[in-house]
Amino acid sequence: ASVIQRLFVFGLCLSASSSAFCLQLSVFSSSWRRKISPWCCTPKETSGWKIDPSRSQDLMRFCCRCTLLESVGQTVHYWQHGRIADFVVTKPMVLGHEASGRVVKVGSAVKHLKVGDRVAIEPGVPREMDEFFKNGRYNLSPTIFFCATPPDNGNLCRYYTHSANFCYKLPDNVTFEEGALIEPLSVGIHACRRAGVTLGSTVLICGAGPIGLVCLLVAKAMGASKVVITDLSSERLTMAKELGADFQLTVKRGDVPQQLAKTVEDMLGTQPQITIECTGVESSIQTGIYATHAGGVVVLVGLGNEMATIPLINAAVREVDIRGVFRYCNTWPMAIAMLASGKVNVKPLVTHRFPLEQAVQAFETTRQGLGIKVMLKCDQNDQKP
C-alpha cells in the first residue's frame, strides 16, 4: 500500500495480472484536509469492467479501455477543496469526467458499438425519464448521473463502464485527444447556443482559460464576426489571439467594471450583443452586464460564490437577458462534426501530457495554472500526442 500511495493520489484502475484494484482519493469536507485512502474494489476482469448479462441495466452498457483523460480544473478543485458549489465529497470518489477510449466489451442490447470502436464518453447520463429528459434538457435533471460529481464516481481509470447511449463513435480523422476534449468543447457549444450566437454576432468573452477558449472557438465557428476576450494572463490572451480572437483585453484586479465595459466598446466600435462570462468572478459578471448592448444576452458559464452583487436594474431597464449555463446537453454529435470537418481545431489547447502513473505531476501542473489543458495518457503503449 505504501508504494501505491506514493504513485497514485486519485481514483484509477490499475490493471493487475488477475484483477483491477481501485485507488480513490478521500477528501473530508469537515477539515478540508486531503487524505489518500487506497482501498480495493471488487476484483474485475483484466479485460475490463465486468458486464453482467443477468442485469437488465447492463444490456445497454459497454466497457472501454480509456486512452485519454484530462487533468482539469474541476477535478483539481475537488482534489484541493472537496467540493464545488453544492456538490460535496463525503466519501471516497473516483475523479475524472473527460475521456475517450476503445471499446473492449459491450452489452447484448448494444447495436451501434462494437469491440475495437474508438469512442468519446459523455459523462452525464439521465437516471430516469423525467420532465427534463422528455423536453431535451436532461442536463437539468436533479437525479442525473455525472462522472466525478458526488456521489457518482468518475472515469479516471484504465477500464470504465458506461451507458452505451452516451458514448459516441469517433471518426477516423478525430484523435483520442480530440475525443477527450469534446467534453469542454461541449460547454462552449451549449453556452453559444444559450447565447444565440449566429452569423455576424459581436461577442465578449470574459476569461481566457480552457472554457473561455473553447467558447471562442465555437463562437467563431458559429459565425461571430468579432470577438473580444479578457483575462489577467497575457500568455492566455496570446493563445486566444492564435485561436482567432479579434481583440484581447488584459485586465487587472481592482479594475472598475464600467471602465472595462467602455474599453470593450471602444475596441469593437459598439457594445457586444453577447457576453459569455467564464470566470464566475463578481466584478467580471458586472463588467459583462455593463458591456452588453441593450437587448443583448449575458450567459453565465463560470461558477463563483453562491451570492454575487450585480447591476440588476441596469440589465432590467436595458432588457439585457441573463441566462445560466449548466454543463450541456445534445452536444456530442455537433462537437464531433466540428472536429471531423476541421471547422474547429482544439489541438493547440493541449499543452502538457503525462502518463497515468505521473498523475500527481499532472494535477500539480493544473493546480499551478501552467499551460491550458493537461492530458493524462492511460494507454501504456500509446504515449504519443
Side-chain angles (χ1 to χ4, degrees):
S2 61
V3 174
I4 291 173
Q5 283 177 314
R6 258 197 327 271
L7 292 176
F8 301 98
V9 297
F10 58 92
L12 64 94
C13 292
L14 177 59
S15 185
S17 58
S18 61
S19 62
F21 296 93
C22 183
L23 313 181
Q24 298 185 316
L25 170 67
S26 180
V27 184
F28 297 94
S29 57
S30 59
S31 63
W32 306 118
R33 292 180 58 199
R34 297 175 302 285
K35 178 182 178 183
I36 308 309
S37 177
W39 55 289
C40 293
C41 289
T42 303
K44 310 293 180 182
E45 298 175 355
T46 54
S47 60
W49 293 94
K50 196 169 186 177
I51 295 176
D52 184 353
S54 67
R55 298 198 312 165
S56 60
Q57 64 266 37
D58 277 7
L59 300 182
M60 279 302 294
R61 294 177 72 80
F62 90 114
C63 175
C64 79
R65 179 183 176 93
C66 291
T67 302
L68 263 301
L69 298 127
E70 291 181 72
S71 172
V72 293
Q74 176 176 317
T75 299
V76 172
H77 197 89
Y78 275 128
W79 177 46
Q80 290 289 299
H81 303 287
R83 70 180 298 159
I84 294 177
D86 293 332
F87 301 105
V88 182
V89 178
T90 58
K91 61 182 181 180
M93 182 183 78
V94 178
L95 298 173
H97 68 283
E98 304 181 10
S100 61
R102 192 181 298 275
V103 177
V104 296
K105 191 175 293 187
V106 296
S108 61
V110 178
K111 305 302 180 186
H112 68 291
L113 295 174
K114 64 183 184 301
V115 173
D117 282 346
R118 300 163 58 254
V119 295
I121 301 170
E122 180 174 357
V125 180
R127 281 189 168 97
E128 57 184 311
M129 194 178 293
D130 57 14
E131 60 177 304
F132 301 105
F133 181 95
K134 292 176 182 177
N135 65 25
R137 301 180 73 179
Y138 55 86
N139 58 308
L140 302 180
S141 174
T143 61
I144 192 171
F145 166 90
F146 197 89
C147 289
T149 297
D152 302 325
N153 285 319
N155 52 27
L156 193 55
C157 51
R158 283 214 165 92
Y159 292 95
Y160 177 70
T161 55
H162 200 68
S163 168
N165 284 327
F166 287 80
C167 297
Y168 302 83
K169 189 174 178 179
L170 293 173
D172 292 340
N173 66 332
V174 177
T175 67
F176 280 122
E177 285 197 352
E178 291 173 297
L181 287 165
I182 288 175
E183 197 279 341
L185 184 60
S186 286
V187 177
I189 291 172
H190 189 56
C192 288
R193 281 176 174 173
R194 292 280 290 156
V197 176
T198 187
L199 288 172
S201 296
T202 51
V203 180
L204 165 64
I205 298 175
C206 300
I211 296 303
L213 294 176
V214 292
C215 286
L216 163 64
L217 290 171
V218 175
K220 279 294 189 177
M222 288 184 171
S225 59
K226 293 181 180 180
V227 176
V228 179
I229 190 165
T230 70
D231 203 272
L232 294 165
S233 168
S234 58
E235 290 81 7
R236 290 193 167 185
L237 290 177
T238 298
M239 171 69 77
K241 182 177 181 179
E242 294 172 357
L243 294 176
D246 300 280
F247 305 97
Q248 306 83 43
L249 176 58
T250 303
V251 298
K252 300 185 296 294
R253 301 184 192 280
D255 282 348
V256 178
Q258 293 94 326
Q259 292 179 354
L260 288 175
K262 182 63 170 62
T263 302
V264 170
E265 182 178 2
D266 291 341
M267 284 180 161
L268 284 173
T270 183
Q271 291 180 304
Q273 299 159 324
I274 292 166
T275 293
I276 303 176
E277 208 297 308
C278 300
T279 72
V281 176
E282 182 179 88
S283 60
S284 185
I285 300 172
Q286 294 169 355
T287 298
I289 292 173
Y290 285 128
T292 304
H293 198 284
V297 177
V298 176
V299 292
L300 304 180
V301 183
L303 295 178
N305 294 329
E306 181 180 3
M307 302 297 292
T309 300
I310 61 171
L312 193 59
I313 300 304
N314 177 282
V317 299
R318 297 190 303 116
E319 296 190 359
V320 172
D321 292 350
I322 301 174
R323 300 175 185 172
V325 168
F326 185 62
R327 296 173 180 158
Y328 34 68
C329 58
N330 305 304
T331 54
W332 255 249
M334 177 181 283
I336 291 172
M338 284 180 163
L339 295 172
S341 66
K343 299 296 183 183
V344 166
N345 180 16
V346 295
K347 292 178 182 179
L349 297 179
V350 182
T351 56
H352 295 75
R353 296 174 179 87
F354 295 88
L356 191 58
E357 289 76 9
Q358 293 179 16
V360 180
Q361 295 94 311
F363 275 38
E364 277 297 326
T365 300
T366 300
R367 186 186 67 81
Q368 293 171 22
L370 302 176
I372 303 296
K373 297 299 287 186
V374 178
M375 198 69 69
L376 285 167
K377 311 279 284 188
C378 298
D379 188 343
Q380 294 165 313
N381 299 319
D382 179 18
Q383 294 297 315
K384 298 178 181 180

